Structure formats: structure tokens, C-alpha cells
Amino acid sequence: MKICKVVKEGTNKEYTYLTDLDLAFDDRVVAEFGKADTVLTVNYVGEMTQEEYDALGFPLKSIKRLATDEDLESQTPALDVVIKEERLPIININFDEIKTNLSVSMAKYKGLIVTEETLSGCKATQKDLAGLKRKIDTYRKDKKKELSRPIAAFEEQCKELISLIEQVENPIKEGISVFDDEKRAEKRRQAEEYIKEIAEESGLADKYAVRLTVIDKYCNLTAKKLDIIDDIKGRAFALKIEQDRETELMGIIQDTINAENERLARKMSLAEFQRLISGGAPAKDIIAEIRARASVIYEAEHPIVEEPIEEPAEEVIEEPVEEVTKETIEEAPTVEPEKVYSVEYKITANLSTLREVSEFLRLNYIPYEAIDQREV
């Protein structure tokens, strides 16, 4: 179907109408506008499919005819502001003369140093300079205020005209706002129905379906049904991918737990690792945590029994017995007995090292006693 976009005299906002006429840009046409036939200007001519028209959700008005001379003459003239008199504020002072004289006068004060001897004179000079500065600034403010009076009066006149318009416009705006709000609410309800249907079709779980919310652009008065549905489907597709990834991850995690539980008496559950899952930890980290915890449980259920360290048997060395005679007793020198010491060592090492220490003591005929042995 053929459409055209038109503007009303004195505005820039476009309005879309249906038409059967062969129109061109800038043609003047007559159509219903605000419950009255009005002359409008064609700004665009194009086509619209039936599907696009249905997506609008409201009917379009039609162009009635091309505007005639009578139509153009009957139009209410635009209320354009016309300036009957305008005088730009021109101020021409003896700026160059004053600047030259002031520069000469100020030159004698440059480099003036305040000392105890020149203090009184410097104070008088500063007072004169401040007075001269204040005189110029006061003149500037007074002249600006005087010249601003026409501008202030002009602003008040414009504000008064705007107030007259707003007294009529505001009730209309409020009525339009109520109507538009109702349409937006209806669009929101439609969008919620689209979301519910698409979420079910996509197979989204409640956890993901609740994230498929109505966004502001779905409620725009110009939002089209097909555009809304396409956007919802795109968002639902992205959520479905995320859901499938989570399902796959949960399956891997559960399979790992089941595999580790086969060797455990105290079974692990998925809830024990929910903190890592909810925190978004990588799958490899979660699996490593499951295996580490399973190892701790298994070791607690199957403690390692330490083998006792065997003490070497004392080897008895038989010495040849000499016949003791009176002569040998008299000749035998007196031998002082060798002192024997007892030293306690605490050795902390693995089982194989402890066995090596025991073997060393045994081979060197050093008697020892294992007082205590436990796992550290």
C-alpha cells in the first residue's frame, strides 16, 4: 500500500497517511488533522507492506485530495512573531583616548616599591587607583542595566505569549499522555505474552526465563510487532545457549562426584560444591576440588598403618677363652673400663629413611631402642 509522510505548516514533525494519489515531494494536500480538514505538505512518498501496517497496532488516516487555492486561502495564518522595530544597542565611548591616557598615567606607578618611607604615599596612590577602577565598573553596570531593559521587556512579552498557548496546550498534552500511556501499557502486555510464548518454545527453565524481561523499547508507540518478536527470540536464543552450557557443566560435575563416591563410605553431594558453581568457577577448578576432597575423605577412612621398625638382634661374638694362670694374672695390665654414653635423638623422617638409620645402627653394632614412633 502507498503511504506518504506530511508536515503541518509551521512544524517539523512528520505524520504518516495512506494515499491513493500520485503525490510528489512538497505537494500540498488536504487530510483530517485534529478532527478538522487541514492543508498539509508532502515530505515523503513510499510503500508499506500489509505486515508492516498490521504491526503498527493502530489505523492510519488517508489523504483526501490535493489542496486547491481555496483550501490554501482558508487556512488560518501562522502566528509568527514579527519584529516591528529593532535597534541594536550601540555604545561608542572614547575608548582609545582613555586607554592612551590611562596607560601614560599608570606607567609612573609601575615598579613602585612600598617601604616605610613611601608607605603613606603608596596608600594614597592605591586609594586613587581603586576609586578610578570603581568608577569605570559602576558606569559599566549602570549602562548594561539601562540597555538590558528592552531585552527584559521583550522576554516578558514572549513569556506571556507562551503562557497563553500553554493554557490551551497543557490539557491537550495531558489527554495525549493518558492515551499514549494506555497504548504503552497495552504494548507491554503484548510483549509479556510474546516473552511467555517464546520462553516456552525455547525450553528455558524458570531460572533463565525470568531474565527475559520487557525492555523499554518494546513499549515505544512506534515499535513494530515483528521487531519486538525478533528481539525477544534473539535474547531467548542467547539464554538457551547459556542454559545448555550450565546443564552440560552440571552433568560433568555430577559424573565426577559419582565416580569419586564409588570408593568412599561417606558420599559427597552436589550441594557441597554449589558455592563454587554459583561463583562461576571454571570446570577444571571445580573438578580438582572434588577430587581433592575425595582424597581427604578416603585417607581418613583408610588410615596408613605404619610398619614397626625392627630392632637388630645383638650379635654375640664368642671370644677364645684363655687359660688363666697365676702368672697371667700377675702379668696382666690393669685396663680401665671404657665409658659408655647414652644420647637421645629425635629423628623426623619418612619410613624408608628411618629404616636406613636402623640398619646403620645394627651394622655398626650400636644398641638402640625405639622409644616412640608415630605419624607427624
Side-chain angles (χ1 to χ4, degrees):
M1 60 184 66
K2 189 183 297 183
I3 63 165
C4 67
K5 293 186 178 181
V6 297
V7 293
K8 188 177 182 296
E9 189 74 22
T11 68
N12 292 322
K13 186 174 181 180
E14 290 185 335
Y15 300 89
T16 303
Y17 282 77
L18 298 174
T19 181
D20 294 328
L21 304 175
D22 292 328
L23 301 177
F25 176 77
D26 214 29
D27 279 348
R28 309 295 289 280
V29 296
V30 175
E32 183 181 343
F33 187 90
K35 297 185 179 181
D37 287 349
T38 306
V39 176
L40 306 169
T41 303
V42 177
N43 209 31
Y44 167 82
V45 178
E47 297 285 339
M48 177 182 287
T49 65
Q50 184 65 44
E51 196 174 34
E52 291 174 331
Y53 181 76
D54 294 339
L56 291 177
F58 57 89
L60 293 177
K61 296 179 181 179
S62 299
I63 299 296
K64 292 186 175 181
R65 65 178 186 276
L66 288 170
T68 63
D69 292 339
E70 289 184 11
D71 293 325
L72 298 175
E73 291 174 0
S74 65
Q75 292 298 299
T76 303
L79 299 175
D80 295 331
V81 176
V82 177
I83 298 176
K84 296 182 177 180
E85 182 183 4
E86 181 178 357
R87 293 191 299 270
L88 297 177
I90 300 175
I91 304 175
N92 189 6
I93 64 175
N94 55 337
F95 175 76
D96 293 333
E97 181 183 352
I98 293 177
K99 182 179 179 181
T100 300
N101 293 336
L102 192 60
S103 298
V104 173
S105 299
M106 295 299 105
K108 62 183 179 181
Y109 298 116
K110 288 183 178 180
L112 188 62
I113 300 175
V114 179
T115 64
E116 187 174 354
E117 290 77 11
T118 62
L119 179 59
S120 59
C122 288
K123 286 184 176 182
T125 299
Q126 189 273 329
K127 185 176 180 180
D128 292 340
L129 294 173
L132 180 59
K133 181 177 68 174
R134 185 167 54 253
K135 179 180 178 182
I136 295 173
D137 197 46
T138 301
Y139 177 78
R140 175 189 66 82
K141 292 178 180 178
D142 293 342
K143 186 56 65 176
K144 179 182 177 182
K145 184 177 180 180
E146 179 184 347
L147 296 175
S148 297
R149 288 195 186 101
I151 297 175
F154 169 72
E155 287 185 341
E156 287 300 321
Q157 289 176 340
C158 290
K159 288 179 180 178
E160 185 176 351
L161 295 175
I162 291 172
S163 176
L164 291 173
I165 297 171
E166 288 178 343
Q167 291 175 18
V168 178
E169 181 196 19
N170 287 342
I172 298 174
K173 285 175 63 177
E174 291 174 2
I176 293 173
S177 178
V178 171
F179 179 77
D180 288 347
D181 288 346
E182 291 177 354
K183 291 185 66 176
R184 290 190 184 94
E186 179 59 27
K187 281 188 169 288
R188 176 175 289 276
R189 286 192 292 271
Q190 291 176 352
E192 289 173 349
E193 292 178 2
Y194 301 152
I195 287 173
K196 183 178 179 181
E197 294 174 2
I198 294 171
E200 291 178 357
E201 292 173 0
S202 302
L204 291 179
D206 292 342
K207 174 182 176 181
Y208 289 90
V210 295
R211 292 167 56 184
L212 201 59
T213 57
V214 177
I215 57 181
D216 291 341
K217 70 178 183 179
Y218 298 166
C219 302
N220 290 343
L221 299 180
T222 56
K224 298 179 180 179
K225 176 181 176 181
L226 291 178
D227 293 341
I228 295 173
I229 292 175
D230 288 344
D231 190 78
I232 295 173
K233 286 183 176 179
R235 293 169 59 203
F237 180 74
L239 289 171
K240 186 61 168 59
I241 292 175
E242 186 177 345
Q243 176 179 291
D244 291 344
R245 287 176 179 170
E246 183 187 18
T247 302
E248 182 181 359
L249 173 62
M250 297 299 288
I252 294 172
I253 293 173
Q254 187 62 63
D255 289 345
T256 304
I257 293 174
N258 293 341
E260 293 294 333
N261 278 341
E262 290 182 0
R263 61 181 179 138
L264 304 177
R266 204 281 284 174
K267 307 298 183 183
M268 298 181 296
S269 67
L270 186 65
E272 296 178 49
F273 308 94
Q274 191 59 50
R275 178 181 57 82
L276 293 173
I277 297 170
S278 301
K284 62 182 183 63
D285 293 346
I286 299 175
I287 292 172
E289 178 67 18
I290 293 171
R291 290 173 175 168
R293 191 171 300 183
S295 296
V296 172
I297 297 172
Y298 181 83
E299 290 176 2
E301 294 176 348
H302 303 80
I304 298 174
V305 180
E306 298 289 347
E307 296 182 5
I309 300 175
E310 297 181 359
E311 296 183 6
E314 294 185 3
E315 185 176 349
V316 179
I317 301 175
E318 295 183 359
E319 297 290 343
V321 180
E322 294 183 2
E323 184 180 354
V324 180
T325 62
K326 182 179 180 181
E327 289 76 10
T328 57
I329 294 174
E330 292 177 355
E331 294 177 358
T334 303
V335 179
E336 291 289 335
E338 186 177 356
K339 295 182 179 180
V340 177
Y341 299 89
S342 173
V343 180
E344 291 186 3
Y345 292 97
K346 180 180 180 182
I347 301 175
T348 303
N350 56 34
L351 188 59
S352 62
T353 302
L354 292 175
R355 287 175 176 169
E356 291 176 0
V357 173
S358 299
E359 183 67 13
F360 172 81
L361 296 173
R362 187 182 66 79
L363 294 175
N364 288 275
Y365 305 105
I366 301 174
Y368 68 92
E369 178 183 0
I371 299 175
D372 182 26
Q373 177 182 326
R374 63 180 178 273
E375 183 180 356
V376 178

